[in-house]
Amino acid sequence: MTREEKQQFTLRITQANPTEMVVILYEMALMFLQEAVQTFEEEDITAYKEAVRKVRSCINELIQSLHLEFEPAPKLLKLYLFCIRRLAYAEVRKTPEVLQEIVLVLSKLKEAYAQIAPFNPTPAVMSNTQTVYSGLTYGKGADLAEDVSGQSLNRGMLI
C-alpha cells in the first residue's frame, strides 16, 4: 500500500459511519490480497506472508465487528472463517491461486455493503476530527493540496 493510499484510507476512516467502515475494511483486505499475489509473483515470500497477515487482520476486525445476535451475522462469521482457513492454506502451501476464492467472497460482500452504506443514518464513528476540504488550495506546481479547517488543540479522542 502506497503512502497516498494510506492517507486516503485514513481520511475516509475519520469520516466513516459503521457501515462505511466495513466497506473500507473490505477494500483494504482486497488491496492486500492483490499485494500478496503480486509479491508472490515477484518471489518475495517475506512480503507475501506479510500481505497475507494484513488480510487476516482485516478479516479478524470484520469478525470483531459482528453482532452475532442479529442475522445475517452468523452466516457472515462462517464466510469469514472460511476466508481465514483459505488464507492459512495459501500461506502454508504458498499457493496464491487460493487467494482468488477469498477475493470472490470479499468483493461480493463489499458490493453489498457499499449499496447499503448510504442508507445508514449513523454519524461518523470518530468524532472531534478535523474537517478537510480538498481542492481549495494548490501547492507548488499546481499539485492538489488539502486545507485543514477548524484547527484546534483538541483533536482526536477526548478523554
Side-chain angles (χ1 to χ4, degrees):
M1 185 180 299
T2 65
R3 182 174 178 233
E4 291 80 25
E5 290 169 333
K6 287 178 186 178
Q7 288 175 338
Q8 185 181 29
F9 277 123
T10 302
L11 178 61
R12 288 180 56 205
I13 287 168
T14 62
Q15 300 171 353
N17 68 31
T19 310
E20 291 166 339
M21 288 291 290
V22 172
V23 173
I24 292 169
L25 278 169
Y26 285 132
E27 289 174 0
M28 290 174 66
L30 290 167
M31 185 176 287
F32 290 133
L33 283 165
Q34 285 179 324
E35 191 175 303
V37 171
Q38 181 181 357
T39 55
F40 185 83
E41 289 171 356
E42 295 169 356
E43 298 179 5
D44 187 353
I45 300 303
T46 305
Y48 171 74
K49 288 184 177 186
E50 180 65 18
V52 169
R53 185 193 64 75
K54 290 176 181 177
V55 175
R56 187 177 300 112
S57 294
C58 289
I59 295 174
N60 284 333
E61 192 65 36
L62 288 165
I63 289 172
Q64 294 300 316
S65 71
L66 291 174
H67 295 282
L68 294 173
E69 62 274 10
F70 302 111
E71 284 296 326
K75 292 179 177 89
L76 287 172
L77 177 61
K78 289 180 183 180
L79 284 172
Y80 295 153
L81 293 176
F82 166 79
C83 291
I84 295 271
R85 284 191 303 273
R86 298 309 285 164
L87 274 174
Y89 183 85
E91 184 176 16
V92 171
R93 302 286 180 148
K94 295 180 183 63
T95 53
E97 301 82 31
V98 173
L99 299 178
Q100 294 308 316
E101 297 172 14
I102 302 167
V103 168
L104 183 65
V105 171
L106 295 184
S107 61
K108 299 270 186 192
L109 290 171
K110 181 191 84 92
E111 289 173 19
Y113 268 92
Q115 288 178 0
I116 63 171
F119 300 106
N120 185 348
T122 309
V125 174
M126 294 180 72
S127 60
N128 200 28
T129 58
Q130 291 178 326
T131 304
V132 179
Y133 298 97
S134 182
L136 292 179
T137 61
Y138 290 89
K140 187 176 182 180
D143 292 331
L144 183 64
E146 287 94 16
D147 175 33
V148 181
S149 298
Q151 291 188 8
S152 71
L153 299 175
N154 234 357
R155 295 184 6 187
M157 298 179 65
L158 292 177
I159 299 176

